Amino acid sequence: MRKILLFLIITVSVSGFSACRDQKATGSVVSTSETQEEKDSPYMEGNKNIMRRENEEMQMFIKRYGWEMQRTPTGLYIQILDPGKGDLFRENDRVAMEYRTFLLSGEQVYCSDSTGLKVFLVNRSEEIDALHEAAQMLRPGARARLVIPSYLGYGVAGDGDRIQGLQPFMMEVRILDKDEKIPENENHILNPYNITK
């Protein structure tokens, strides 16, 4: 009895598999990667348009002031006003920076005189990508201008205060010399320093 039952189960299974194998596809099959690519395409095109628009806006801003800036592969514009002295900063180095932040309209929105120094570890701290990149191109005592695309700054969300989402902006920075005391508290206020001199 068991042999007959086992024979019936095997027969039904084999005939079921062969029936599935003989069926022909009734529609076209689209691979998952193609579907994802189709979905991503409008977003990728939109991002390229945003980057193109921001780059044009930054170039017009730079041209308006007649600055000679170099563009890094990431899209950061930098003009080194004073190269400073010593070795370039590397990953994990501690940087203390005076700064002024401007919108591309020319309006100043932040200044280390009132908000305190930016003190961070290169590539190890929560600071905008543009400052980590710029720090590695500078030495102690260096001064520079940065024109920053939104994706190296505060991105789609903005900073939640004065810099809107998808908004490029400009910074003037000065890195403290090694013999200058770097405060432990990041909110330390410096005496006024005119970075544009």
Side-chain angles (χ1 to χ4, degrees):
M1 181 71 168
R2 284 186 181 179
K3 287 183 180 180
I4 295 172
L5 185 59
L6 183 61
F7 177 77
L8 286 173
I9 291 171
I10 292 171
T11 306
V12 169
S13 298
V14 169
S15 64
F17 287 131
S18 64
C20 288
R21 192 174 4 134
D22 292 337
Q23 288 182 348
K24 296 191 178 188
T26 57
S28 63
V29 177
V30 178
S31 74
T32 308
S33 63
E34 286 175 13
T35 304
Q36 191 61 44
E37 202 172 285
E38 287 172 9
K39 286 181 183 176
D40 289 346
S41 180
Y43 298 111
M44 290 174 70
E45 192 57 39
N47 284 339
K48 286 179 186 174
N49 288 335
I50 290 168
M51 289 170 65
R52 194 176 301 114
R53 177 191 54 78
E54 282 190 21
N55 192 52
E56 287 171 5
E57 189 179 350
M58 292 186 298
Q59 286 180 351
M60 286 182 357
F61 176 79
I62 292 165
K63 187 175 181 180
R64 184 181 342 150
Y65 288 97
W67 295 336
E68 292 182 17
M69 305 188 87
Q70 79 177 75
R71 185 177 191 265
T72 71
T74 64
L76 171 69
Y77 285 91
I78 185 167
Q79 180 182 23
I80 298 174
L81 303 170
D82 181 341
K85 294 180 181 175
D87 296 330
L88 292 171
F89 286 94
R90 296 180 308 204
E91 189 168 333
N92 273 335
D93 285 346
R94 190 168 185 226
V95 175
M97 182 183 285
E98 292 177 322
Y99 65 94
R100 294 194 312 167
T101 304
F102 299 85
L103 302 179
L104 298 192
S105 65
E107 176 190 356
Q108 180 175 304
V109 289
Y110 298 114
C111 181
S112 57
D113 292 343
S114 57
T115 57
L117 293 176
K118 287 194 177 286
V119 180
F120 59 96
L121 297 179
V122 177
N123 285 347
R124 295 290 180 191
S125 303
E126 289 185 19
E127 192 51 75
I128 62 171
D129 291 342
L131 290 184
H132 289 288
E133 182 179 353
Q136 293 174 85
M137 300 171 72
L138 301 172
R139 304 170 195 278
R143 292 192 307 122
R145 287 189 183 110
L146 312 173
V147 179
I148 302 168
S150 65
Y151 58 87
L152 294 178
Y154 297 101
V156 176
D159 73 348
D161 191 5
R162 299 178 190 171
I163 298 177
Q164 303 300 312
L166 299 176
Q167 186 172 29
F169 58 97
M170 180 262 185
M171 292 182 78
E172 291 179 328
V173 299
R174 182 182 80 93
I175 295 182
L176 270 61
D177 276 312
K178 291 195 174 179
D179 60 348
E180 292 181 76
K181 184 170 174 21
I182 298 176
E184 293 299 320
N185 180 356
E186 290 187 283
N187 294 321
H188 175 78
I189 308 297
L190 284 183
N191 291 330
Y193 172 81
N194 186 354
I195 201 160
T196 55
K197 281 187 177 176

